[in-house]
């Protein structure tokens, strides 16, 4: 109880301290996550464990013009988490887990107004139009704070960018951009300080993006080159490439299609599901693809329907998939089910359903306004092979300077399905957001 | 945020007439009120039954093109939407949320949240989008007016409003009032142009009141807070520039 009280006090302090200053954009969120999961400790029987996690987050952004065409911008993020593991079996050593990060910080110079833009610093690059999966987001990190999404969005509310230099050239209907990021590594001792500013970057990356407007369609082409070292005897270079298309059909429909593939990606492969042996397998040019649409009714209720299909070339089908499920089930029985992950299925399926084990997935969402200030959405993410799924219902009440939302997320599936093997039973998310 | 797009560009279309044909007169009306490379601060407030429902303060700029108006908009208020950006590029709209990096493509009907067709009201340049099918003189609220009956041009048949009745004051060539209808003649929106002021040598209505054709209790006011002129390159009205665009105080 003292942990919850302390988190609440700190959250209140964070929210209160996020006072508006000239030119600052501030958002502060307080989330309560009552959760029920299956857990097993010391080889004993599985039991339902309920826990409440409290997370207070605040992000402050500012963009400052320094001169004609020259701007400095940044976003800083801070969070306090009462239960980052989400498991009462794995509480943090201290009462609260504190994190801070500089999500973005950079200097931007429009060398030629509207035509040539140079960007130096930490920035987020998200070329993908996908909602629940984003095949074209080749350089991206999970949401900071590891706060679970209540909307099934692939991109977290707050994400840390990559340090590098970006050049963008716009000419007519063509955009050419290139982002070059260095490898950033430092010692474990230094990381105790630097972790509050930035994560390390494990490799050199060069991301080339081409954008072309053809009629009313947007076409994107991407190529990512990565290397763990430059100039070394074994540069160990890797390539990814992708393409995307966005187009409107009539007044109410937008269509998106995109695909990407990497020259080699490692995945875990089950060798023997009974003996619980597995191996790491390198897969060449396994494609990931997304096809989706959003339909808007356009009336006063803002009714919209979104649906996406995701093809995961790294996933398994047929007997390979069955063996993976069997392996996961046996792992659970042998090692025990851990809400915190790290045991049981976590090495294969990740906790709470990562939706990466199979090859075919689907997503659908219906959203609309109930009243002027009250919006609702229902969504489902489904594994189309074993028909296990995760569902969510979200209500959001928004006023000028604050919003409050409630969500319930459930996992559904039989014992040999991806979601059935997830320890998650249900999760609530009660969120208060303040805007300044 | 509901009326946003609605009203947004409405003020872009306001303007003038002589001894010309009705079509030439209509083009003159447009020209008299249209500021090239206009930048603006604009407040949009929606009401229902006399009670304020929603409001937005926007900062933006406009580029007039051969095919229509391209508009960049930054949301200044309320705090819950502050930092959002929008690009209206012809019939395609892109929306960028704060701290995100990929503008979302929206369909025209997604843009027209709430008061569905206000956006089309706003973006309608009369001479560019409509043919004059009838022309007469009329009196409206005591003022001698020209009354234009307009039909959407063949290549604009997909616009929300197939027909417009436009009242223009004879003495000043200021549009005073318009009614927007569907193909079947159903009245969709009514718009009153008010508070004319001279800016950059143009006669600009600083206020526009749009009401719903079905429900007169629902109406939206758009009021310019500031109007200026800022030349922005055409490439700035592109999806890939939206992230870099920094709105400036109109001057």
């Amino acid at each position: 109880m003292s942990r919850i009280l302390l988190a609440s006090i700190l959250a209140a302090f964070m929210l209160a301290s996020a006072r508006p200053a000239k030119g600052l954009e501030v958002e502060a969120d307080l989330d309560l996550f009552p959760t029920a999961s299956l857990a097993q400790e010391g080889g004993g029987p599985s039991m339902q464990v309920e826990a409440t996690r409290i997370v207070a987050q605040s992000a402050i952004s500012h963009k400052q013009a320094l001169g004609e065409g020259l701007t400095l911008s940044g976003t800083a993020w801070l969070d306090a988490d009462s239960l980052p593991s989400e498991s009462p079996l794995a509480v943090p050593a201290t009462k609260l887990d504190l994190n801070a990060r500089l999500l973005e910080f950079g200097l931007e110079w429009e060398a030629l107004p509207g035509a040539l833009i140079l960007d130096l610093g930490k920035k987020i690059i998200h070329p993908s139009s996908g909602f629940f999966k984003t095949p074209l987001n080749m350089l991206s990190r999970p949401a900071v704070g590891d706060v679970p999404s209540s909307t099934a969005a692939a991109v977290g509310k707050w994400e840390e960018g990559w340090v590098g230099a970006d050049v963008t050239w716009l000419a007519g209907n063509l955009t050419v951009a290139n982002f070059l990021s260095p490898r950033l590594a430092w010692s474990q001792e230094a990381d105790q300080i630097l972790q509050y500013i930035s994560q390390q970057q494990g490799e050199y990356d060069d991301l080339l993006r081409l954008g072309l407007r053809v009629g009313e369609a947007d076409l994107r082409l991407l190529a990512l080159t990565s290397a763990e070292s430059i100039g070394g005897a074994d540069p160990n270079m890797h390539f990814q490439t992708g393409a995307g298309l966005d187009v409107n059909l009539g007044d109410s429909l937008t269509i998106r299609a995109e695909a990407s593939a990497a020259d080699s990606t490692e995945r875990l492969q089950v060798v023997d599901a009974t003996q619980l042996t597995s191996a790491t397998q390198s897969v060449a040019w396994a494609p990931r693809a997304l096809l989706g649409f959003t339909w808007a009714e356009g009336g006063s209720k803002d009714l919209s329907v979104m649906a996406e299909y995701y093809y995961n070339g790294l996933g398994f089908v047929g007997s390979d998939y069955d063996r993976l499920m069997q392996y996961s089930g046996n792992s659970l029985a042998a090692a025990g089910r851990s809400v915190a992950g790290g045991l049981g299925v976590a090495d294969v399926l990740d906790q709470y359903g990562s939706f990466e084990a199979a090859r075919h997935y689907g997503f659908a969402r219906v959203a609309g306004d109930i009243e002027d200030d009250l919006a609702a959405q229902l969504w489902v993410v489904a594994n189309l092979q074993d028909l296990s799924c995760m569902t969510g219902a979200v209500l959001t009440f928004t006023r000028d300077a604050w919003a409050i939302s409630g969500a319930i997320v459930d996992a559904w599936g039989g014992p040999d399905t991806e979601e059935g093997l997830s320890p998650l039973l249900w999760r609530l998310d009660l969120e208060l957001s303040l805007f300044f | 945020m509901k009326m946003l797009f609605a009203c947004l560009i409405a003020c872009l279309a306001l303007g003038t007439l002589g001894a010309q044909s009705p079509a030439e007169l209509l083009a003159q009306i447009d020209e008299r009120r249209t500021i090239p490379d206009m930048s603006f601060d604009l407040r949009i407030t929606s009401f229902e039954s006399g009670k304020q429902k929603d409001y937005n303060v926007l900062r933006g700029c406009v580029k007039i093109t051969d095919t229509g108006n391209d508009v960049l908009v930054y949301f200044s208020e309320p705090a819950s939407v502050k930092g959002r950006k929008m690009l209206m590029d012809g019939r395609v709209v892109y929306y960028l949320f704060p701290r995100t990096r990929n503008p979302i493509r929206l369909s025209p009907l997604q843009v027209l949240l709430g008061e569905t067709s206000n956006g089309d009201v706003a973006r309608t340049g009369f001479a560019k989008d409509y043919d004059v099918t009838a022309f007469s003189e009329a009196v409206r609220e005591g003022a001698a007016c020209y009354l234009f009956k307009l039909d959407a041009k063949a290549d604009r048949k997909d616009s929300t409003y197939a027909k417009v009745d436009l009242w223009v004051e004879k003495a000043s060539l200021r549009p005073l009032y318009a009614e927007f209808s569907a193909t079947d003649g159903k009245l969709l929106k009514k718009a009153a142009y008010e508070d004319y002021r001279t800016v950059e040598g143009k006669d600009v209505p600083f206020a526009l009141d749009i009401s719903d054709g079905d429900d007169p209790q629902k109406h939206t006011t758009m009021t310019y807070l500031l109007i200026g002129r800022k030349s922005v390159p055409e490439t700035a009205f592109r999806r890939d520039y939206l992230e870099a665009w920094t709105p400036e105080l109109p001057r």
Side-chain angles (χ1 to χ4, degrees), chain B residues 3 18 29 36 45 71 100 118 179 197-198 206 210 222-223:
Chain B
M3 312 235 124
I29 291 167
T45 313
V71 185
T100 66
N118 284 357
E179 292 182 348
R197 301 183 206 173
T198 302
F206 266 58
I210 303 172
M222 297 182 349
T223 307

Side-chain angles (χ1 to χ4, degrees), chain B residues 109-151:
Chain B
L109 284 182
Q110 270 180 288
V111 172
L112 302 175
L113 303 173
E115 298 295 323
T116 309
S117 43
N118 284 357
D120 285 334
V121 174
R123 75 174 72 210
T124 300
F126 295 113
K128 194 180 288 183
D129 295 338
Y130 292 90
D131 291 323
V132 181
T133 58
F135 177 72
S136 59
E137 297 189 6
V139 174
R140 177 165 185 84
E141 295 181 353
C145 292
Y146 296 117
L147 173 57
F148 293 85
K149 300 266 185 189
L150 308 174
D151 273 10

Side-chain angles (χ1 to χ4, degrees), chain B residues 49-147:
Chain B
S49 303
K51 185 181 173 187
Q52 178 177 318
K53 283 173 55 183
D54 203 359
Y55 86 98
N56 285 101
V57 177
L58 312 172
R59 174 164 291 175
C61 56
V62 184
K63 175 70 79 178
I64 297 172
T65 68
D66 293 339
T67 54
N69 298 330
D70 290 346
V71 185
L72 279 166
V73 167
Y74 173 86
F75 291 69
S76 304
E77 295 181 34
S80 57
V81 298
K82 184 180 177 184
R84 296 181 185 183
K85 295 179 186 175
M86 184 179 68
L87 166 64
M88 304 174 75
D89 180 3
R91 291 177 54 77
V92 181
V93 178
Y94 301 99
Y95 206 85
L96 184 68
F97 287 89
R99 294 181 291 276
T100 66
R101 290 296 172 262
N102 188 32
I104 298 169
R105 173 185 272 251
L106 302 178
S107 63
L109 284 182
Q110 270 180 288
V111 172
L112 302 175
L113 303 173
E115 298 295 323
T116 309
S117 43
N118 284 357
D120 285 334
V121 174
R123 75 174 72 210
T124 300
F126 295 113
K128 194 180 288 183
D129 295 338
Y130 292 90
D131 291 323
V132 181
T133 58
F135 177 72
S136 59
E137 297 189 6
V139 174
R140 177 165 185 84
E141 295 181 353
C145 292
Y146 296 117
L147 173 57

Side-chain angles (χ1 to χ4, degrees), chain A residues 372-373 399, chain B residues 45-54 217 219:
Chain A
D372 290 335
D373 298 325
R399 301 307 298 261
Chain B
T45 313
S46 57
F47 300 88
E48 186 166 351
S49 303
K51 185 181 173 187
Q52 178 177 318
K53 283 173 55 183
D54 203 359
Q217 295 300 316
H219 75 114

